[in-house]
Amino acid sequence: MQVLLDGIPINQGLAGQFDFANLTTDNVERIEIARGPQSTIYGPRALAGVVQIFTKQGTGPPGFTVSEEGGSYDTFRETLASDGKIGQFDYSIGASRLDTDNARPNNQYRNTAGIADVGWSPNEQLRIGGMFAYALSDTGDPNVLADPRPLDNLLTEKWFIAPHIDYQPFDWWTHKFILDYDHERQVNDPNQDGFVGPTRALFERTTVDYQNDLRPTSWLTLTSGLFYSRLNAGQERPFILQIFGPQPTFVSDHTQETAGFLQATANIDNFILVAGGRIDHFNQFGDVWTYRIAGSYKIDKTDTTLHSSIATGFSPPSSQDKIFGMNFGLRPEKDLGWDVGFEQRVWDRRVTIDATCQTSSGSTVSFKRLISGRPKPKA
């Protein structure tokens, strides 16, 4: 899964994953999920889908919210939130602290998190903003009851800063530019698993993302963009024995990616067609092509929408795969998926029933029924 925060990839660490245990919703406005291969627009790791997290943008007079919670096992949580708009400036801030000892020794969890979004809008066409997020978590690892670990713990610190520009010179043309730097460090000391010993890991990434939406006619939207990413990851391994000769006590990985994509969306009466393609170039394993074609048609008489799609996705080997894997020359994992189904709105559109059959390469066909009180986006 690709995880995005305001359009910024936040899969981090040696494994290239996102730990939702450290995600707080203090400054989150909404979360959207797109299922199936989505690499054409969202790039690497969108093999099975995309989770998009959107922060709040300050509007109206400034306001503040403070809360304090408590529970069993010495659980306490404090939050502070504020958002608003003052003249041409808008802001939203959320911060929280969570402490809990849980039910077993060395099973404690401590989390400090904060996220802020600020912006300056000199006119209605332009907004220059920036986002900053920080999280520090300390997790105890008690292991199994038969083999408890009284001291083992893992410290994870994450932060990133992302200035961005949103510019709409005309009603039919919009631009979005994001520059992001994110950083993660992990310290596992002591590490009492009896194998690797204490470790320290560092992950840093710089991304540049540009996207524009051009609407030459009322029924056609062209979305195109460029993407660049530079990633460095490494781990110290002071526990490595040198009795068999010099052995590396530091392992690392460096990955660069350059990508371009184009997607066309046609909306004619009740018919929507989306088609697009993307090419990603990696310094370690060359080019990867992906595409997506999706369509939907609404039948007004019965308030029914038919929809289907076919798409490809990919997930490159993570730094962990390349550093510790015994296989050399790893290639990206690829996926081809399709789905077909319908949406039926009933009870004056208060309820939507969605029946979809979907499959992907290497998986079995599944049938999923979803009942929701809110219509989903088409195509």
PDB file of all heavy atoms in Angstrom, residues 67-90:
ATOM      1  N   SER A  67      -7.668  18.666  25.387  1.00  0.00           N
ATOM      2  CA  SER A  67      -8.335  17.508  25.977  1.00  0.00           C
ATOM      3  C   SER A  67      -7.361  16.725  26.845  1.00  0.00           C
ATOM      4  O   SER A  67      -6.141  16.772  26.642  1.00  0.00           O
ATOM      5  CB  SER A  67      -8.907  16.591  24.890  1.00  0.00           C
ATOM      6  OG  SER A  67      -7.875  15.947  24.181  1.00  0.00           O
ATOM      7  N   GLU A  68      -7.926  16.003  27.811  1.00  0.00           N
ATOM      8  CA  GLU A  68      -7.156  15.127  28.691  1.00  0.00           C
ATOM      9  C   GLU A  68      -7.963  13.847  28.884  1.00  0.00           C
ATOM     10  O   GLU A  68      -9.161  13.897  29.179  1.00  0.00           O
ATOM     11  CB  GLU A  68      -6.897  15.793  30.034  1.00  0.00           C
ATOM     12  CG  GLU A  68      -6.325  14.880  31.103  1.00  0.00           C
ATOM     13  CD  GLU A  68      -4.894  14.475  30.818  1.00  0.00           C
ATOM     14  OE1 GLU A  68      -4.140  15.313  30.291  1.00  0.00           O
ATOM     15  OE2 GLU A  68      -4.535  13.320  31.128  1.00  0.00           O
ATOM     16  N   GLU A  69      -7.321  12.703  28.684  1.00  0.00           N
ATOM     17  CA  GLU A  69      -7.994  11.417  28.826  1.00  0.00           C
ATOM     18  C   GLU A  69      -7.171  10.515  29.731  1.00  0.00           C
ATOM     19  O   GLU A  69      -5.947  10.645  29.812  1.00  0.00           O
ATOM     20  CB  GLU A  69      -8.169  10.737  27.463  1.00  0.00           C
ATOM     21  CG  GLU A  69      -8.912  11.572  26.433  1.00  0.00           C
ATOM     22  CD  GLU A  69      -8.903  10.924  25.068  1.00  0.00           C
ATOM     23  OE1 GLU A  69      -8.950   9.672  25.000  1.00  0.00           O
ATOM     24  OE2 GLU A  69      -8.827  11.645  24.063  1.00  0.00           O
ATOM     25  N   GLY A  70      -7.844   9.595  30.387  1.00  0.00           N
ATOM     26  CA  GLY A  70      -7.161   8.631  31.245  1.00  0.00           C
ATOM     27  C   GLY A  70      -7.897   7.319  31.267  1.00  0.00           C
ATOM     28  O   GLY A  70      -9.114   7.269  31.032  1.00  0.00           O
ATOM     29  N   GLY A  71      -7.142   6.230  31.509  1.00  0.00           N
ATOM     30  CA  GLY A  71      -7.766   4.921  31.545  1.00  0.00           C
ATOM     31  C   GLY A  71      -6.927   3.932  32.323  1.00  0.00           C
ATOM     32  O   GLY A  71      -6.006   4.302  33.064  1.00  0.00           O
ATOM     33  N   SER A  72      -7.241   2.667  32.157  1.00  0.00           N
ATOM     34  CA  SER A  72      -6.562   1.614  32.899  1.00  0.00           C
ATOM     35  C   SER A  72      -5.121   1.456  32.430  1.00  0.00           C
ATOM     36  O   SER A  72      -4.725   1.973  31.377  1.00  0.00           O
ATOM     37  CB  SER A  72      -7.317   0.297  32.737  1.00  0.00           C
ATOM     38  OG  SER A  72      -7.450  -0.029  31.363  1.00  0.00           O
ATOM     39  N   TYR A  73      -4.344   0.717  33.227  1.00  0.00           N
ATOM     40  CA  TYR A  73      -2.925   0.462  32.950  1.00  0.00           C
ATOM     41  C   TYR A  73      -2.136   1.758  32.795  1.00  0.00           C
ATOM     42  O   TYR A  73      -1.256   1.858  31.931  1.00  0.00           O
ATOM     43  CB  TYR A  73      -2.769  -0.423  31.696  1.00  0.00           C
ATOM     44  CG  TYR A  73      -3.495  -1.731  31.796  1.00  0.00           C
ATOM     45  CD1 TYR A  73      -4.559  -2.022  30.939  1.00  0.00           C
ATOM     46  CD2 TYR A  73      -3.133  -2.676  32.764  1.00  0.00           C
ATOM     47  CE1 TYR A  73      -5.239  -3.226  31.023  1.00  0.00           C
ATOM     48  CE2 TYR A  73      -3.803  -3.887  32.850  1.00  0.00           C
ATOM     49  CZ  TYR A  73      -4.861  -4.150  31.989  1.00  0.00           C
ATOM     50  OH  TYR A  73      -5.533  -5.343  32.079  1.00  0.00           O
ATOM     51  N   ASP A  74      -2.463   2.743  33.611  1.00  0.00           N
ATOM     52  CA  ASP A  74      -1.763   4.027  33.593  1.00  0.00           C
ATOM     53  C   ASP A  74      -1.745   4.637  32.199  1.00  0.00           C
ATOM     54  O   ASP A  74      -0.714   5.098  31.700  1.00  0.00           O
ATOM     55  CB  ASP A  74      -0.338   3.870  34.113  1.00  0.00           C
ATOM     56  CG  ASP A  74      -0.295   3.592  35.601  1.00  0.00           C
ATOM     57  OD1 ASP A  74      -1.206   4.062  36.311  1.00  0.00           O
ATOM     58  OD2 ASP A  74       0.640   2.909  36.057  1.00  0.00           O
ATOM     59  N   THR A  75      -2.910   4.647  31.561  1.00  0.00           N
ATOM     60  CA  THR A  75      -3.041   5.219  30.228  1.00  0.00           C
ATOM     61  C   THR A  75      -3.496   6.671  30.335  1.00  0.00           C
ATOM     62  O   THR A  75      -4.522   6.961  30.968  1.00  0.00           O
ATOM     63  CB  THR A  75      -4.054   4.427  29.390  1.00  0.00           C
ATOM     64  OG1 THR A  75      -3.612   3.071  29.286  1.00  0.00           O
ATOM     65  CG2 THR A  75      -4.192   5.023  28.000  1.00  0.00           C
ATOM     66  N   PHE A  76      -2.739   7.564  29.709  1.00  0.00           N
ATOM     67  CA  PHE A  76      -3.073   8.983  29.687  1.00  0.00           C
ATOM     68  C   PHE A  76      -2.795   9.536  28.293  1.00  0.00           C
ATOM     69  O   PHE A  76      -1.823   9.150  27.638  1.00  0.00           O
ATOM     70  CB  PHE A  76      -2.248   9.762  30.718  1.00  0.00           C
ATOM     71  CG  PHE A  76      -2.501   9.346  32.136  1.00  0.00           C
ATOM     72  CD1 PHE A  76      -1.670   8.427  32.754  1.00  0.00           C
ATOM     73  CD2 PHE A  76      -3.584   9.863  32.842  1.00  0.00           C
ATOM     74  CE1 PHE A  76      -1.898   8.028  34.063  1.00  0.00           C
ATOM     75  CE2 PHE A  76      -3.823   9.467  34.147  1.00  0.00           C
ATOM     76  CZ  PHE A  76      -2.984   8.552  34.754  1.00  0.00           C
ATOM     77  N   ARG A  77      -3.673  10.440  27.869  1.00  0.00           N
ATOM     78  CA  ARG A  77      -3.509  11.068  26.560  1.00  0.00           C
ATOM     79  C   ARG A  77      -3.903  12.531  26.656  1.00  0.00           C
ATOM     80  O   ARG A  77      -4.989  12.859  27.156  1.00  0.00           O
ATOM     81  CB  ARG A  77      -4.356  10.365  25.495  1.00  0.00           C
ATOM     82  CG  ARG A  77      -4.179  10.934  24.091  1.00  0.00           C
ATOM     83  CD  ARG A  77      -4.894  10.061  23.055  1.00  0.00           C
ATOM     84  NE  ARG A  77      -4.670  10.524  21.698  1.00  0.00           N
ATOM     85  CZ  ARG A  77      -5.509  11.336  21.039  1.00  0.00           C
ATOM     86  NH1 ARG A  77      -6.626  11.744  21.615  1.00  0.00           N
ATOM     87  NH2 ARG A  77      -5.240  11.718  19.807  1.00  0.00           N
ATOM     88  N   GLU A  78      -3.025  13.399  26.165  1.00  0.00           N
ATOM     89  CA  GLU A  78      -3.283  14.832  26.150  1.00  0.00           C
ATOM     90  C   GLU A  78      -3.204  15.332  24.704  1.00  0.00           C
ATOM     91  O   GLU A  78      -2.327  14.908  23.944  1.00  0.00           O
ATOM     92  CB  GLU A  78      -2.264  15.603  27.001  1.00  0.00           C
ATOM     93  CG  GLU A  78      -2.195  15.158  28.455  1.00  0.00           C
ATOM     94  CD  GLU A  78      -1.325  13.940  28.662  1.00  0.00           C
ATOM     95  OE1 GLU A  78      -0.368  13.733  27.868  1.00  0.00           O
ATOM     96  OE2 GLU A  78      -1.597  13.165  29.599  1.00  0.00           O
ATOM     97  N   THR A  79      -4.110  16.226  24.313  1.00  0.00           N
ATOM     98  CA  THR A  79      -4.109  16.766  22.955  1.00  0.00           C
ATOM     99  C   THR A  79      -4.298  18.270  22.984  1.00  0.00           C
ATOM    100  O   THR A  79      -4.924  18.823  23.894  1.00  0.00           O
ATOM    101  CB  THR A  79      -5.224  16.149  22.093  1.00  0.00           C
ATOM    102  OG1 THR A  79      -6.513  16.564  22.603  1.00  0.00           O
ATOM    103  CG2 THR A  79      -5.141  14.628  22.090  1.00  0.00           C
ATOM    104  N   LEU A  80      -3.761  18.914  21.969  1.00  0.00           N
ATOM    105  CA  LEU A  80      -3.916  20.351  21.755  1.00  0.00           C
ATOM    106  C   LEU A  80      -4.089  20.578  20.265  1.00  0.00           C
ATOM    107  O   LEU A  80      -3.301  20.074  19.458  1.00  0.00           O
ATOM    108  CB  LEU A  80      -2.697  21.121  22.261  1.00  0.00           C
ATOM    109  CG  LEU A  80      -2.630  22.611  21.887  1.00  0.00           C
ATOM    110  CD1 LEU A  80      -3.778  23.377  22.548  1.00  0.00           C
ATOM    111  CD2 LEU A  80      -1.283  23.214  22.272  1.00  0.00           C
ATOM    112  N   ALA A  81      -5.119  21.314  19.885  1.00  0.00           N
ATOM    113  CA  ALA A  81      -5.375  21.592  18.474  1.00  0.00           C
ATOM    114  C   ALA A  81      -5.844  23.029  18.311  1.00  0.00           C
ATOM    115  O   ALA A  81      -6.544  23.571  19.176  1.00  0.00           O
ATOM    116  CB  ALA A  81      -6.422  20.632  17.910  1.00  0.00           C
ATOM    117  N   SER A  82      -5.445  23.630  17.189  1.00  0.00           N
ATOM    118  CA  SER A  82      -5.861  24.996  16.880  1.00  0.00           C
ATOM    119  C   SER A  82      -5.818  25.194  15.378  1.00  0.00           C
ATOM    120  O   SER A  82      -4.925  24.679  14.699  1.00  0.00           O
ATOM    121  CB  SER A  82      -4.941  26.009  17.571  1.00  0.00           C
ATOM    122  OG  SER A  82      -5.306  27.332  17.221  1.00  0.00           O
ATOM    123  N   ASP A  83      -6.794  25.908  14.851  1.00  0.00           N
ATOM    124  CA  ASP A  83      -6.791  26.246  13.429  1.00  0.00           C
ATOM    125  C   ASP A  83      -7.581  27.521  13.221  1.00  0.00           C
ATOM    126  O   ASP A  83      -8.412  27.913  14.059  1.00  0.00           O
ATOM    127  CB  ASP A  83      -7.379  25.102  12.589  1.00  0.00           C
ATOM    128  CG  ASP A  83      -8.842  24.836  12.897  1.00  0.00           C
ATOM    129  OD1 ASP A  83      -9.717  25.520  12.308  1.00  0.00           O
ATOM    130  OD2 ASP A  83      -9.128  23.961  13.728  1.00  0.00           O
ATOM    131  N   GLY A  84      -7.324  28.180  12.099  1.00  0.00           N
ATOM    132  CA  GLY A  84      -8.025  29.417  11.787  1.00  0.00           C
ATOM    133  C   GLY A  84      -7.344  30.157  10.660  1.00  0.00           C
ATOM    134  O   GLY A  84      -6.349  29.698  10.077  1.00  0.00           O
ATOM    135  N   LYS A  85      -7.872  31.320  10.361  1.00  0.00           N
ATOM    136  CA  LYS A  85      -7.333  32.159   9.295  1.00  0.00           C
ATOM    137  C   LYS A  85      -7.302  33.598   9.771  1.00  0.00           C
ATOM    138  O   LYS A  85      -8.285  34.125  10.306  1.00  0.00           O
ATOM    139  CB  LYS A  85      -8.179  32.039   8.026  1.00  0.00           C
ATOM    140  CG  LYS A  85      -7.581  32.736   6.816  1.00  0.00           C
ATOM    141  CD  LYS A  85      -8.355  32.423   5.552  1.00  0.00           C
ATOM    142  CE  LYS A  85      -7.681  33.050   4.336  1.00  0.00           C
ATOM    143  NZ  LYS A  85      -8.413  32.734   3.089  1.00  0.00           N
ATOM    144  N   ILE A  86      -6.134  34.233   9.583  1.00  0.00           N
ATOM    145  CA  ILE A  86      -5.927  35.627   9.975  1.00  0.00           C
ATOM    146  C   ILE A  86      -5.454  36.385   8.741  1.00  0.00           C
ATOM    147  O   ILE A  86      -4.299  36.258   8.327  1.00  0.00           O
ATOM    148  CB  ILE A  86      -4.905  35.745  11.112  1.00  0.00           C
ATOM    149  CG1 ILE A  86      -5.303  34.880  12.304  1.00  0.00           C
ATOM    150  CG2 ILE A  86      -4.748  37.196  11.546  1.00  0.00           C
ATOM    151  CD1 ILE A  86      -4.269  34.836  13.404  1.00  0.00           C
ATOM    152  N   GLY A  87      -6.348  37.156   8.140  1.00  0.00           N
ATOM    153  CA  GLY A  87      -5.995  37.872   6.927  1.00  0.00           C
ATOM    154  C   GLY A  87      -5.668  36.906   5.800  1.00  0.00           C
ATOM    155  O   GLY A  87      -6.455  36.034   5.441  1.00  0.00           O
ATOM    156  N   GLN A  88      -4.457  37.046   5.251  1.00  0.00           N
ATOM    157  CA  GLN A  88      -4.026  36.185   4.159  1.00  0.00           C
ATOM    158  C   GLN A  88      -3.347  34.901   4.644  1.00  0.00           C
ATOM    159  O   GLN A  88      -2.976  34.059   3.837  1.00  0.00           O
ATOM    160  CB  GLN A  88      -3.051  36.949   3.250  1.00  0.00           C
ATOM    161  CG  GLN A  88      -3.672  38.173   2.585  1.00  0.00           C
ATOM    162  CD  GLN A  88      -2.650  38.948   1.762  1.00  0.00           C
ATOM    163  OE1 GLN A  88      -1.444  38.815   1.980  1.00  0.00           O
ATOM    164  NE2 GLN A  88      -3.126  39.748   0.822  1.00  0.00           N
ATOM    165  N   PHE A  89      -3.218  34.732   5.963  1.00  0.00           N
ATOM    166  CA  PHE A  89      -2.535  33.576   6.526  1.00  0.00           C
ATOM    167  C   PHE A  89      -3.552  32.591   7.111  1.00  0.00           C
ATOM    168  O   PHE A  89      -4.523  33.002   7.756  1.00  0.00           O
ATOM    169  CB  PHE A  89      -1.549  34.000   7.614  1.00  0.00           C
ATOM    170  CG  PHE A  89      -0.399  34.823   7.100  1.00  0.00           C
ATOM    171  CD1 PHE A  89      -0.494  36.199   7.020  1.00  0.00           C
ATOM    172  CD2 PHE A  89       0.777  34.213   6.684  1.00  0.00           C
ATOM    173  CE1 PHE A  89       0.559  36.962   6.550  1.00  0.00           C
ATOM    174  CE2 PHE A  89       1.835  34.960   6.215  1.00  0.00           C
ATOM    175  CZ  PHE A  89       1.737  36.341   6.143  1.00  0.00           C
ATOM    176  N   ASP A  90      -3.314  31.306   6.883  1.00  0.00           N
ATOM    177  CA  ASP A  90      -4.130  30.262   7.497  1.00  0.00           C
ATOM    178  C   ASP A  90      -3.204  29.247   8.156  1.00  0.00           C
ATOM    179  O   ASP A  90      -2.048  29.078   7.742  1.00  0.00           O
ATOM    180  CB  ASP A  90      -5.021  29.574   6.461  1.00  0.00           C
ATOM    181  CG  ASP A  90      -4.230  28.849   5.384  1.00  0.00           C
ATOM    182  OD1 ASP A  90      -3.819  27.699   5.608  1.00  0.00           O
ATOM    183  OD2 ASP A  90      -4.006  29.442   4.299  1.00  0.00           O
TER     184      ASP A  90
END
